[in-house]
Structure formats: structure tokens, C-alpha cells
Amino acid sequence: MVNETIELENYTFKSLVKAVCDYSNIKPEELLGKSRLKMFVVPRHILYYLGYTYTGYTLPKLGSMIGTRDHTTILYGYNKIIDLKRKDADLDLAIKEIHLMALTNEQARQDKLADYR
């Protein structure tokens, strides 16, 4: 059962991928793939942004977790989202929703782990 107040500040990469995929209605293979279609690129950049901001992983580590992405690719997507957030309030709101979804996913994951202990 998910607590009413989420006290986590960070989440796992898996929780974040699930949140981005659920919000964007795409499959993890599409999110982590190489397609350059906008319907995959924007969620992928959001993944880079939130991943670098909230998972505690370095750019090279995120790149290796996502696939064969170089750390400069992650940095480009991260900076692209920062720029777009300033111009697009809807995107900023979507990022906040995905962040909350990832926190909820992580809380559920941790609750499930606690049940096993």
C-alpha cells in the first residue's frame, strides 16, 4: 500500500522508466530505443532530465543504463528539456506529473520489498 505522503526524494531508474512510459503511452523498448520520432524523443529527453536530476546517477552511468548513449547525448537532452520547460508550461506540468508518478512507483516498490522482509 502506498503511503499518503511520499517522503522519497530519489527513485530508481526502473521506477522512472515505468513512469515515463505510462505517461507517454509508449513501451520501454521504444523509450530506450534509437528512433528519432518526436513521440519517442521528447519522453526520452524527459527521462534524461529526471534521471540526472533525481536518480543520483552520473551522465556516463545513465548513458550506459539507457543503452549505448554517450554522456554528451544525455547532457544534450537534459539541457533541451531545461530550455523547453521555460517556454512551455504544459511540458513543465507533464514533467512534474512524471516525477510524482516515479516517486509513487518507487514507494510501491519499496513497500513491496518491505513486505518480503
Side-chain angles (χ1 to χ4, degrees):
M1 182 169 161
V2 177
N3 294 339
E4 294 198 1
T5 59
I6 297 175
E7 298 175 5
L8 301 171
E9 292 182 17
N10 295 323
Y11 33 75
T12 62
F13 184 73
K14 186 176 180 179
S15 294
L16 177 58
V17 168
K18 181 177 178 354
V20 173
C21 288
D22 289 349
Y23 186 87
S24 303
N25 198 27
I26 60 177
K27 297 175 185 170
E29 307 84 54
E30 295 167 330
L31 178 66
L32 302 175
K34 297 189 183 290
S35 174
R36 292 185 177 180
L37 293 174
K38 186 175 183 177
M39 65 184 290
F40 303 132
V41 171
V42 173
R44 194 175 298 140
H45 286 180
I46 292 170
L47 176 73
Y48 300 164
Y49 172 79
L50 291 173
Y52 185 60
T53 304
Y54 294 104
T55 63
Y57 294 121
T58 63
L59 293 172
K61 178 66 177 173
L62 275 173
S64 68
M65 293 175 78
I66 292 168
T68 58
R69 304 289 195 301
D70 186 76
H71 72 280
T72 58
T73 304
I74 308 301
L75 185 60
Y76 174 81
Y78 173 85
N79 288 330
K80 187 76 171 170
I81 291 298
I82 289 174
D83 185 45
L84 291 174
K85 275 179 36 162
R86 292 182 186 133
K87 300 173 187 173
D88 187 348
D90 290 337
L91 178 64
D92 188 43
L93 181 60
I95 291 168
K96 289 175 182 174
E97 286 182 45
I98 294 168
H99 172 65
L100 289 175
M101 289 171 70
L103 287 171
T104 302
N105 291 342
E106 183 63 21
Q107 185 66 54
R109 187 186 76 80
Q110 290 196 13
D111 289 347
K112 195 172 188 180
L113 285 173
D115 290 344
Y116 286 123
R117 292 181 189 154

